[in-house]
Amino acid sequence: MAVEIQAEMPFFESAEDATYTAILASRKTIKEVAVGLWPHLCMDSAYARLKGALSAERPEKLAADEHLFIANFCGQWHFLHYVENQCHHSGTRKVEPADELATLQEAILKGQRELTQSLNRFNSLRAGAK
């Protein structure tokens, strides 16, 4: 079995730095990302809010879910690398949606089988107790 060599993780000063780098790497404009993140706001308001949240000098900050939305929207996972580094972890791997779907489907089917077996046993015990 071949040992997978870990790529060196990038270094980011902050979560905002990682997310801003992800936006730049995606070649999407900040306005595109801002409107995707906050579609209920007008473009200029969303843009100003995102620029403020990505600035270290401003008090506005993005929630973790917002960082994750941007990572998925941009297809760049710099924020995850930042989190791994801050938590002293490594090894985040992408799971394809089809693979996750298959895993969830198997878990559901297994659970249904177990529930059916328990229900059958329950019914047989209940019938015998009468």
Side-chain angles (χ1 to χ4, degrees), residues 6 12 15 20 23 33 40 43-44 55-56 70 73 80 91 94 99 106-107 130:
Q6 179 181 335
F12 301 105
Y20 185 64
I23 294 169
V33 175
H40 61 283
M43 184 185 304
D44 291 336
S55 172
I70 293 170
F73 186 78
L80 293 180
K94 182 165 174 50
D99 295 338
E106 181 57 36
K130 288 183 181 179

Side-chain angles (χ1 to χ4, degrees), residues 16 19 31 46 59 69 77-78 93 110-111 113 123 130:
E16 291 73 25
T19 296
K31 284 187 178 184
F69 173 86
W77 293 272
H78 297 65
R93 64 177 181 81
K110 180 181 177 192
R113 283 191 300 270
N123 287 334
K130 288 183 181 179

Side-chain angles (χ1 to χ4, degrees), residues 8-76:
E8 188 173 330
M9 289 176 43
F11 175 79
F12 301 105
E13 294 286 332
S14 65
E16 291 73 25
D17 178 35
T19 296
Y20 185 64
T21 303
I23 294 169
L24 294 176
S26 75
R27 300 195 184 273
K28 291 185 184 284
T29 67
I30 293 180
K31 284 187 178 184
E32 283 178 88
V33 175
V35 169
L37 184 58
W38 298 300
H40 61 283
L41 297 178
C42 73
M43 184 185 304
D44 291 336
S45 294
Y47 171 77
R49 183 173 174 182
L50 183 55
K51 283 294 283 184
L54 293 174
S55 172
E57 293 81 36
R58 300 282 300 273
E60 301 96 341
K61 297 295 173 215
L62 295 170
D65 286 344
E66 292 169 325
H67 283 285
L68 293 173
F69 173 86
I70 293 170
N72 284 311
F73 186 78
C74 292
Q76 301 288 326

